Amino acid sequence: MGKILLLNGPNLNRLGKREPDVYGHETLKDVEEQVRQLVETKHYHLDAKQSNHEGDLIDWIQAAEGEYSGIIFNPGAYTHTSIAIRDAIGSVTVPVIEVHISNVHKRESFRHVSMLAPVCAGQIVGLGTKGYQLAAIYLLEEKE
C-alpha cells in the first residue's frame, strides 16, 4: 500500500472559522477526510499533519523521503517567506504539489510570489478545497 502525506501550514487549523468568505466553511478535518476517502479508493494510505511551526513542516518533508509517494502541501503564509521550506522540498525526491484554497493572484501583491513553486512538481490555486483532491489525483495517477 502506497502512502501520501498531506501537510498544512500555519492557520490552516482554523479552516471553517477563519475568513470563511475567502477559505470556505469546510474544516481541516473535512478536507483530510475527503482526501483520505479518495486515496483509499486506489489502496493508498493518507497521513495528514498540520503545524503552525516552520521547523515541524521541514522535519516532516525531510522524513518523507523513502516513506511517501508524494506530498500534498498547503504551506499557508510560508509560501511567500520560507527559504528553509523551499530548501527542504528541494532536498527530497518526493514530488510535492503546492495547494492554495484561494486564488493568491487575486489577493494582496505579497501573495503573488511563491518561494516554493520552483521546487514543487506543481501548484494548484484558487479551486477551493477541491485543489487538495486534484493534487491527490495527480499523485495517484503518476504512480500508476
Side-chain angles (χ1 to χ4, degrees):
M1 177 179 276
K3 292 168 54 175
I4 292 178
L5 179 60
L6 172 58
L7 293 181
N8 280 282
N11 298 311
L12 287 152
N13 56 310
R14 303 280 302 153
L15 273 181
K17 297 176 185 150
R18 175 184 173 227
E19 299 180 75
D21 55 316
V22 174
Y23 301 108
H25 294 280
E26 291 176 293
T27 67
L28 184 57
K29 292 290 180 210
D30 294 335
V31 171
E32 291 170 354
E33 187 55 33
Q34 291 164 2
V35 176
R36 181 171 284 108
Q37 288 178 8
L38 175 62
V39 303
E40 286 177 354
T41 66
K42 299 288 187 179
H43 308 289
Y44 271 69
H45 173 79
L46 181 77
D47 286 328
K49 301 178 181 197
Q50 185 277 330
S51 181
N52 294 321
H53 305 282
E54 186 177 35
D56 290 342
L57 297 166
I58 291 167
D59 288 345
W60 293 331
I61 291 165
Q62 291 173 350
E65 187 80 68
E67 185 73 20
Y68 293 94
S69 300
I71 300 172
I72 302 165
F73 187 25
N74 184 338
Y78 285 136
T79 302
H80 321 290
T81 62
S82 183
I83 295 169
I85 290 176
R86 176 193 172 110
D87 289 349
I89 293 170
S91 78
V92 298
T93 59
V94 181
V96 176
I97 306 297
E98 180 184 339
V99 173
H100 296 283
I101 296 168
S102 68
N103 184 343
V104 295
H105 304 291
K106 285 186 168 183
R107 298 185 64 197
E108 305 92 341
S109 61
F110 69 84
R111 296 185 195 274
H112 296 179
V113 176
S114 169
M115 302 287 287
L116 312 182
V119 293
C120 288
Q123 183 186 61
I124 300 170
V125 301
L127 300 179
T129 57
K130 183 79 169 172
Y132 289 94
Q133 295 170 52
L134 295 170
I137 290 167
Y138 172 81
L139 292 171
L140 292 167
E141 288 178 355
E142 283 297 297
K143 300 304 170 190
E144 286 183 350

